[in-house]
């Protein structure tokens, strides 16, 4: 979730942006550590803005597999970020 979407005012927005920047190296390492299929599903969800069914169609795999991949990726990324989930709305 972009930092500016989660903030109420200018001070909150700055705090959120600084926190997001501080976790960037861990997030990059976490993304690199994902299996290719898991990473593809996450990228299509987060950066492509696609839903599970759209991702399944794009990757030509069952919707249930997409759910499994994204769930597994969430767990790994949360661990990589010290048990913090920056994407609470995934």
């Amino acid at each position: 979730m972009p930092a500016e979407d989660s903030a109420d005012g200018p001070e909150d927005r700055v705090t959120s942006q600084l926190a997001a920047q501080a976790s960037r190296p861990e997030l990059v390492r976490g993304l690199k550590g994902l299996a290719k299929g898991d990473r593809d599903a996450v990228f299509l969800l987060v950066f492509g803005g696609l839903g599970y069914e759209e991702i399944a169609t794009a990757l030509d795999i069952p919707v249930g597999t997409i759910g499994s991949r994204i769930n597994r990726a969430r767990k790994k990324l949360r661990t990589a970020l010290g048990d913090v989930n920056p994407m609470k709305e995934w």
Side-chain angles (χ1 to χ4, degrees):
M1 172 171 56
E4 58 270 15
D5 289 348
S6 65
D8 294 329
E11 300 85 6
D12 293 329
R13 186 172 23 257
V14 170
T15 301
S16 295
Q17 288 172 340
L18 289 173
Q21 288 174 355
S23 66
R24 187 174 294 164
E26 291 84 3
L27 180 58
V28 170
R29 278 192 293 277
L31 288 168
K32 285 182 178 180
L34 295 177
K36 183 185 179 324
D38 295 355
R39 189 171 46 246
D40 290 346
V42 168
F43 281 1
L44 289 172
L45 178 71
V46 175
F47 300 117
L50 301 180
Y52 284 30
E53 289 185 18
E54 295 167 312
I55 297 169
T57 299
L59 298 178
D60 195 29
I61 56 178
V63 174
T65 302
I66 295 302
S68 296
R69 288 181 180 187
I70 290 174
N71 186 49
R72 184 172 42 247
R74 277 184 186 153
K75 289 178 182 178
K76 289 182 179 181
L77 291 173
R78 191 175 296 128
T79 298
L81 294 171
D83 291 325
V84 173
N85 183 5
M87 303 297 295
K88 290 180 184 176
E89 296 189 12
W90 274 11

